[in-house]
């Protein structure tokens, strides 16, 4: 079972790196679950300007797109760690998604967000995007509020996220249930 943690932001000094590390450490401790971070900084892509990937599955325009597509293809489920930029999702995240399509299909996706309302507005919008990708966007999310963000910027200790650990555990349990169920579904009835 492979769960990928996708960093939704790439800017210098980003908080997403910190959150991705916390989520990765949590998943990495679980027997039977492999976790890996997909850092969008490692997948620099131009603004999308190609034929719709939904209509040309896995026909990658460039080696860079192929590298992202084949990476996403390997996962059974995703945890997107995302900021909220101007009450929406970060453009770099949506751009990466737009370069791909079938790689995400019939897989579950969960969210960890941060900001003034814990990234809730970005996460709600991303759930709608996920439906278009024929994914299963899940209910349980982790919302990191400003007090925790401020505290986390003052220490490298993961314990700063301890009050949120039960929420992350709930998210993980739910994601793994769906990842198991949908993997079985994909292999018994390939689309
Ligand atoms: C372009 C931009 C827009 C932002 N808009 C919001 C917003 O709408 N809501 C919010 O809670 N925080 C907003 N913030 C503050 C972010 O929550 C904060 O900068 C956070 O660290 C961003 O995540 P990142 O560091 O991974 O980029 C914004 C930040 C940036 C850079």
């Amino acid at each position: 079972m492979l769960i990928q943690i996708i960093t939704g932001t790439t800017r210098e000094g980003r908080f997403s790196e910190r959150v991705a590390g916390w989520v990765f450490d949590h998943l990495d401790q679980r027997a039977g679950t492999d976790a890996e971070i997909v850092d969008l900084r490692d997948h620099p892509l131009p603004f999308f300007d190609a034929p719709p990937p939904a209509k040309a599955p896995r026909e990658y325009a460039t080696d860079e797109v192929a590298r992202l597509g084949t990476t996403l293809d390997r996962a059974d489920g995703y945890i997107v760690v995302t900021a909220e930029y101007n009450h929406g999702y970060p453009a770099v995240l949506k751009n990466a998604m737009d370069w791909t399509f079938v790689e995400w299909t019939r897989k579950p996706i969960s969210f960890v967000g941060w900001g003034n309302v814990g990234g809730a507005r970005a996460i709600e919008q991303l759930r709608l995007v996920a439906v278009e990708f024929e994914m299963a966007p899940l209910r349980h999310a982790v919302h990191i509020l400003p007090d925790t963000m401020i505290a986390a910027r003052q220490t490298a200790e993961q314990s700063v996220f301890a009050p949120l650990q039960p929420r992350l555990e709930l998210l993980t349990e739910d994601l793994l249930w769906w990842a198991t169920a949908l993997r079985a579904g994909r292999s018994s009835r390939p689309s």
Side-chain angles (χ1 to χ4, degrees), residues 5 18-30 35 37 156 158 165 168:
I5 299 145
R18 190 65 203 286
V19 178
W22 170 56
V23 174
F24 175 84
D25 288 351
H26 179 76
L27 282 166
D28 199 40
Q29 288 162 11
R30 292 185 80 100
I37 293 176
Q158 301 288 42
Q165 202 74 23
L168 182 58

Side-chain angles (χ1 to χ4, degrees), residues 84-155:
E84 181 177 289
Y85 284 172
N86 299 310
H87 291 202
Y89 40 70
V92 70
L93 172 62
K94 182 59 161 49
N95 190 52
M97 296 184 84
D98 288 343
W99 276 106
T100 52
F101 192 92
V102 293
E103 297 81 357
W104 305 90
T105 295
R106 295 184 174 166
K107 296 178 185 176
I109 185 166
S110 300
F111 302 95
V112 177
W114 53 91
N116 295 331
V117 291
R121 291 170 289 225
I123 289 173
E124 283 293 83
Q125 293 171 29
L126 283 166
R127 288 193 176 111
L128 295 176
V129 172
V131 170
E132 177 58 15
F133 281 82
E134 298 180 40
M135 305 183 80
L138 303 185
R139 172 175 181 263
H140 295 291
V142 178
H143 299 283
I144 303 171
L145 295 171
D147 285 357
T148 304
M149 293 172 71
I150 292 164
R153 286 194 172 111
Q154 288 162 1
T155 173

